[in-house]
Amino acid sequence: MINKAINSEKHQFRYYSREVLKRPTELMLHEQRLRLARKFPQNEPLQGALADLFYGCWYDMPLQGEAILATVADRLPLPTRNHFRDCIEKNSYVQRISEVATRWSVLVTPSLNVASHSLRVSSDDARQIAADFGDRLIKAKASNDKQQLTQIEDDFLGHCLACVDRIGFSLVWFRLARNGWVFDERWVACQRQLEQMPAREASV
């Protein structure tokens, strides 16, 4: 039931992403999309949806932005929160190409001069995400649902590379290894890529 709910939320998130593309200035659509993104263990969809909202509904942000930001602030690094707060205070605006955009954004594009799509995660975030993905992977393995298992693995490995989440990767790797997991080439490739990536400062 949990996995069905997750898949349903992803389907709904994609639906609202398409609707946001059609009607980028409709705040209600952005808020529905943001609500769904809040349920995902990764923070990247949340930040991507928020960037689209602040871009498409920039004129509403001085009045409504603070309340919207408050609902997701606990999931965002301090520099990212401050960037959105600057928009609320009309000191700056989210641009078409923005450092707060992520690969989940549909209206705005990540800036090429910074790894904005590589969302920084704190050690607490990493542990929470690792626990969630670990649970989902073990349940999918137990149910012998190979398609679902592959999808969850791909989602997790994609998160680790996008966020340079070495902590989360290690926690899940060791947990699965204790359960007799057979790691295929995707896992090995992800491990190698993470080892080669430069270290990033931890989020506040």
Side-chain angles (χ1 to χ4, degrees):
M1 291 298 293
I2 292 174
N3 289 324
K4 286 183 179 179
I6 290 170
N7 288 334
S8 174
E9 286 158 4
K10 287 184 177 180
H11 178 78
Q12 291 178 60
F13 183 84
R14 287 193 291 269
Y15 167 78
Y16 280 106
S17 295
R18 292 192 296 270
E19 292 302 305
V20 161
L21 274 171
K22 295 175 188 174
R23 292 173 282 173
T25 62
E26 191 161 326
L27 182 59
M28 182 192 72
L29 294 175
H30 286 280
E31 289 178 327
Q32 290 282 7
R33 186 168 174 245
L34 198 64
R35 178 184 60 81
L36 290 164
R38 187 82 168 84
K39 298 180 180 181
F40 297 160
Q42 314 100 309
N43 289 343
E44 196 181 2
L46 186 73
Q47 181 174 323
L50 190 65
D52 284 335
L53 189 157
F54 269 69
Y55 176 78
C57 303
W58 61 270
Y59 48 85
D60 287 322
M61 293 307 96
L63 292 176
Q64 302 193 50
E66 193 64 48
I68 292 170
L69 185 60
T71 65
V72 299
D74 62 314
R75 296 277 298 274
L76 300 174
L78 181 59
T80 303
R81 294 201 301 269
N82 288 341
H83 188 101
F84 287 116
R85 191 156 283 115
D86 281 343
C87 299
I88 294 168
E89 296 171 357
K90 296 191 284 189
N91 294 323
S92 66
Y93 298 94
V94 173
Q95 302 297 320
R96 179 67 182 81
I97 298 175
S98 172
E99 64 187 53
V100 294
T102 76
R103 62 194 174 123
W104 293 76
S105 303
V106 294
L107 298 181
V108 290
T109 303
S111 174
L112 294 178
N113 63 341
V114 293
S116 58
H117 59 294
S118 299
L119 185 67
R120 297 180 176 90
V121 291
S122 69
S123 58
D124 288 341
D125 285 336
R127 288 181 175 84
Q128 177 185 341
I129 291 168
D132 179 82
F133 270 110
D135 289 344
R136 290 165 57 192
L137 286 165
I138 290 171
K139 288 176 182 176
K141 181 76 171 179
S143 66
N144 201 30
D145 188 335
K146 293 182 179 179
Q147 182 177 356
Q148 185 180 64
L149 178 60
T150 299
Q151 182 60 59
I152 298 172
E153 286 181 305
D154 287 341
D155 286 349
F156 175 65
L157 298 176
H159 154 77
C160 290
L161 292 176
C163 302
V164 195
D165 187 359
R166 294 187 183 88
I167 294 175
F169 181 86
S170 297
L171 289 171
V172 171
W173 177 287
F174 288 121
R175 179 179 177 184
L176 296 181
R178 290 195 300 270
N179 284 270
W181 206 269
V182 177
F183 299 100
D184 62 23
E185 65 277 3
R186 292 171 301 156
W187 286 86
V188 176
C190 182
Q191 184 182 49
R192 288 175 179 166
Q193 285 183 259
L194 287 172
E195 290 172 351
Q196 295 169 3
M197 287 179 172
R200 302 185 186 281
E201 295 177 0
S203 305
V204 177

